[in-house]
Amino acid sequence: MSTTPLATSSDIALNLALSLISASVAPVLLLDGDLSVVAASQSFLETFDIGTDRVAGVKMADLGGGEWNTPSLWALLKATAYGQAAIPAYEMDLASPSGSRRLVLNAQRLVYGDGQGVRLLLSIQDVTEQRDRAQQKDDLIRDKAVLIEEMRHRIANSLQIIASILLQGVRKLSSDESRDYLRDAHQRIMSVAAVQRQLSGAELGDVDLRDYLTDLCRSIGDSMIRDHDRLTLSATIDDTLVSSGKAVSLGLIVTELLINAIKHAFPRQRPGRITLDYRAQGEGWTLTVRDDGVGLPPDPSIAKPGLGAGIIRALAQQLGAVIVITDAEPGVRVSIVCAPPPLHTS
């Protein structure tokens, strides 16, 4: 009477591993402790162009044209087989006759309890296309940053040229009113150039409003205030981040308001103070420029609106904000207020 030998636990485990590899749609290898191939998935053979008749019992380092013979990978696999290391996600470049590939390898040590040694289950993911796409994206972002920076410099230079031409035209005019108008236009163009200069060092994307407006105030104060003991300019801005487009609009508004206060609020060398404040409240925000100068004229009808007022009004409308002008007693308080959107209740 013949008997059929019972399968050992190691046989069962090995058969299970072989079945999993056979059914795998991903490149997978089963290696022994000497890093020879026990089994390979069909996907591995097809992906790396290796014939089925040259796999079983072959050292992994000898597969293909020897491209797998990488000392660093060999050392890691050996250490993993001995239980001294692990490979959760090892990236390597595989240089084969068909070209270079970027691979991510994961190795799992399998231990059998009957002394028949260890096995390594090695899965391989080809991430060449993903890395190439990521590199292309990084290259595009870098190229875009260079182009935008070049555009900013060109705009600033163009504004300087236009401002110089306007200033030359002022000297040729005989009408005081025309000269004043051109001087105002020149000053506004220079303010736009100042905003461009402040943004030229900012990173793409969101702008730190505190640093941006603080530097802008310092630049305006240094260029327009001769005696800083007589007239001071300070800024208090919260830690808001805004888009570069919004930063440009806010910078132009601040520039116009500060220039107006410096020019008109302190006649005859009157001492005083100008403050800038910006606070965000949820999706709303308030920008305020206050001075303690001579204040609003007794008869508002005599105050002729200038070019700056039109610029501020247009920019505020663009930002969805309203302009609020009040008597600060002493001085004037001008606030640009953007209210948060109303809550919708069902």
Side-chain angles (χ1 to χ4, degrees):
M1 181 178 179
S2 61
T3 59
T4 302
L6 297 175
T8 64
S9 60
S10 61
D11 292 333
I12 295 173
L14 178 59
N15 289 334
L16 178 59
L18 293 174
S19 298
L20 290 173
I21 291 173
S22 177
S24 175
V25 295
V28 179
L29 285 177
L30 183 65
L31 307 174
D32 62 19
D34 294 327
L35 303 186
S36 295
V37 178
V38 177
S41 69
Q42 187 65 31
S43 176
F44 175 84
L45 302 176
E46 293 174 354
T47 300
F48 300 103
D49 195 21
I50 298 173
T52 57
D53 56 339
R54 297 185 294 112
V55 174
V58 176
K59 292 279 190 182
M60 182 182 178
D62 297 330
L63 290 176
E67 59 267 19
W68 294 95
N69 188 14
T70 303
S72 57
L73 174 62
W74 194 257
L76 279 174
L77 290 175
K78 274 290 188 182
T80 302
Y82 296 145
Q84 299 171 347
I87 307 179
Y90 174 70
E91 289 202 22
M92 62 171 284
D93 290 316
L94 183 74
S96 65
S98 60
S100 180
R101 301 186 184 191
R102 188 67 175 176
L103 306 179
V104 176
L105 283 67
N106 291 270
Q108 177 67 45
R109 180 173 181 260
L110 307 176
V111 182
Y112 299 105
D114 54 6
Q116 292 193 16
V118 299
R119 298 286 188 271
L120 286 180
L121 187 63
L122 181 65
S123 63
I124 304 161
Q125 181 184 8
D126 188 340
V127 296
T128 306
E129 291 186 4
Q130 294 94 312
R131 295 295 186 268
D132 287 345
R133 286 196 295 267
Q135 184 61 49
Q136 290 174 2
K137 182 179 179 181
D138 290 342
D139 291 343
L140 287 173
I141 291 174
R142 184 169 56 253
D143 292 344
K144 181 180 178 181
V146 171
L147 289 174
I148 290 177
E149 188 63 26
E150 177 65 20
M151 180 189 69
R152 286 175 174 171
H153 284 300
R154 287 179 180 272
I155 290 173
N157 290 338
S158 298
L159 290 171
Q160 295 280 2
I161 293 172
I162 294 170
S164 298
I165 293 172
L166 285 176
L167 203 57
Q168 291 174 7
V170 169
R171 303 188 184 99
K172 299 177 182 179
L173 294 174
S174 57
S175 167
D176 290 342
E177 184 177 358
S178 297
R179 281 198 297 268
D180 290 342
Y181 192 85
L182 280 185
R183 286 194 184 97
D184 278 347
H186 168 267
Q187 196 164 53
R188 265 60 192 186
I189 291 173
M190 293 301 293
S191 71
V192 174
V195 171
Q196 287 288 334
R197 284 195 301 273
Q198 293 299 327
L199 278 179
S200 63
E203 297 292 332
L204 293 177
D206 290 341
V207 175
D208 186 323
L209 205 57
R210 175 183 293 161
D211 291 342
Y212 170 54
L213 292 183
T214 300
D215 289 343
L216 184 59
C217 287
R218 185 181 299 113
S219 176
I220 293 172
D222 290 343
S223 62
M224 296 196 65
I225 299 176
R226 296 182 180 179
D227 185 355
H228 291 272
D229 292 329
R230 179 185 66 83
L231 183 59
T232 61
L233 173 58
S234 62
T236 304
I237 299 101
D238 64 14
D239 55 356
T240 297
L241 295 177
V242 299
S243 67
S244 57
K246 183 177 178 180
V248 169
S249 297
L250 290 173
L252 291 172
I253 290 174
V254 166
T255 302
E256 291 296 333
L257 292 175
L258 293 181
I259 289 175
N260 185 68
I262 293 171
K263 287 177 61 177
H264 303 295
F266 305 97
R268 296 181 295 279
Q269 302 299 309
R270 178 190 175 113
R273 180 182 181 188
I274 303 171
T275 59
L276 166 67
D277 185 89
Y278 181 94
R279 289 288 180 271
Q281 305 94 22
E283 296 185 31
W285 50 268
T286 301
L287 169 70
T288 300
V289 171
R290 181 189 183 279
D291 66 72
D292 57 358
V294 296
L296 295 170
D299 183 3
S301 62
I302 66 173
K304 184 179 179 180
L307 181 60
I311 293 174
I312 295 171
R313 187 164 52 251
L315 291 170
Q317 185 176 7
Q318 185 183 76
L319 293 171
V322 296
I323 305 172
V324 181
I325 303 176
T326 55
D327 193 336
E329 298 180 353
V332 178
R333 181 187 296 106
V334 181
S335 296
I336 313 299
V337 182
C338 180
L343 296 176
H344 294 284
T345 58
S346 56

